[in-house]
Amino acid sequence: MTADNATPSYVLRYFDLIGLAETSRMLLTAAKVEWTEEHPEWPQEKPNQPFGHLPVLVEKNGAEDGSDFILSESGSIERYLARTFKFVPTDLKEIARQEQLRDQQFDVSAAFFNQLAMVDEAKKEKRGEFDVLLDKIVEIHTTLLRKNGDCGYLFGEELSYADMSAYALYKQLIMYAVEFDADIAPFVKDKITPEILNLIRTVESDPLLWEHIEKKGSFLVHALPE
């Protein structure tokens, strides 16, 4: 899929970190459309965003009246891009199966950052909550990968929204654990199954994402057990 005169260009506004925009970056890259990323001055630019936070997607001249189409909220942005560029199936039930994974992954990510912010007993309690959620999503991903023949994709034989969002989750957990909490990094790595490692390897080697991986770098070596 390549950009042409009929294909709009995009601007993705977010901070210069993995955070809530990694899946959207991957979707835009895989779609082979023209896009750029902006890093607004913060909090100076906060009042200029639709809901006062990031990420924000701007589709140039994408509205029906020819004005820019502006969308906020990471989940909404991802779903819009995934559907627009056909990284989800056409069947509504199959779309829902993929999108429910993303919502569960958001809960895992939120629990991860909650425990990072805590100390002492509160940290132990929050880590316990994170542990339960992480175990569940790892189990679900691993089961889906096995059912799909352990080909490195969660559904079918091509890169999907589900694959990119799962990859972004594990990248966020592992890279932030390595950087901000040395104690939890081995804990997270030990949860990663061979099937999930294969998903990471497969996503990173997918031709649609070579440009993204070349720019951002592989994190596979950081995911390997110590």
Side-chain angles (χ1 to χ4, degrees):
M1 186 181 303
T2 58
D4 56 34
N5 291 335
T7 304
S9 62
Y10 298 84
V11 175
L12 183 64
R13 299 176 189 155
Y14 196 59
F15 309 107
D16 188 17
L17 45 81
I18 300 169
L20 297 173
E22 191 69 3
T23 302
S24 294
R25 294 182 185 112
M26 296 172 74
L27 286 162
L28 288 164
T29 301
K32 303 301 181 187
V33 293
E34 181 182 338
W35 73 282
T36 58
E37 184 168 349
E38 293 180 352
H39 308 301
E41 292 292 327
W42 210 257
Q44 296 92 319
E45 288 296 317
K46 182 179 175 67
N48 297 325
Q49 311 310 316
F51 294 100
H53 53 249
L54 301 174
V56 168
L57 179 74
V58 180
E59 183 179 307
K60 301 303 246 181
N61 308 121
E64 291 183 0
D65 62 359
S67 61
D68 292 346
F69 173 64
I70 302 176
L71 189 63
S72 191
E73 302 297 338
S74 58
S76 296
I77 293 170
E78 291 171 20
R79 288 174 169 90
Y80 176 69
L81 292 173
R83 294 180 185 215
T84 298
F85 298 115
K86 298 179 172 56
F87 287 111
V88 289
T90 56
D91 181 80
L92 290 177
K93 290 184 174 62
E94 292 303 313
I95 293 174
R97 288 182 66 204
Q98 292 199 21
E99 292 182 346
Q100 71 174 349
L101 288 177
R102 191 274 182 192
D103 292 337
Q104 180 62 27
Q105 289 162 192
F106 184 84
D107 291 344
V108 176
S109 180
F112 172 74
F113 285 105
N114 282 340
Q115 64 85 33
L116 276 185
M118 299 297 174
V119 296
D120 301 330
E121 290 304 314
K123 188 177 187 71
K124 290 180 182 178
E125 179 182 348
K126 292 297 181 182
R127 182 167 294 184
E129 295 173 5
F130 167 63
D131 188 20
V132 171
L133 290 170
L134 180 59
D135 280 347
K136 188 61 179 178
I137 200 64
V138 165
E139 177 188 357
I140 291 170
H141 283 154
T142 301
T143 299
L144 287 171
L145 289 163
R146 288 173 180 168
K147 286 183 177 179
N148 201 37
D150 199 20
C151 65
Y153 297 120
L154 286 160
F155 302 97
E157 298 177 350
E158 295 180 333
L159 185 68
S160 72
Y161 172 42
D163 301 316
M164 288 182 268
S165 64
Y167 175 91
L169 170 72
Y170 293 113
K171 179 178 182 179
Q172 182 184 68
L173 295 181
I174 291 170
M175 298 307 292
Y176 283 171
V178 169
E179 183 173 356
F180 297 114
D181 193 337
D183 291 337
I184 200 174
F187 169 83
V188 173
K189 290 182 183 183
D190 286 346
K191 303 282 187 179
I192 306 301
T193 63
E195 291 82 2
I196 292 173
L197 283 175
N198 191 35
L199 177 143
I200 295 169
R201 187 179 296 109
T202 301
V203 169
E204 289 194 345
S205 63
D206 194 293
L208 292 177
L209 289 171
W210 283 350
E211 182 182 345
H212 179 78
I213 303 303
E214 183 178 358
K215 181 179 180 180
K216 297 295 184 178
S218 167
F219 89 98
L220 179 62
V221 64
H222 298 286
L224 297 172
E226 297 180 348

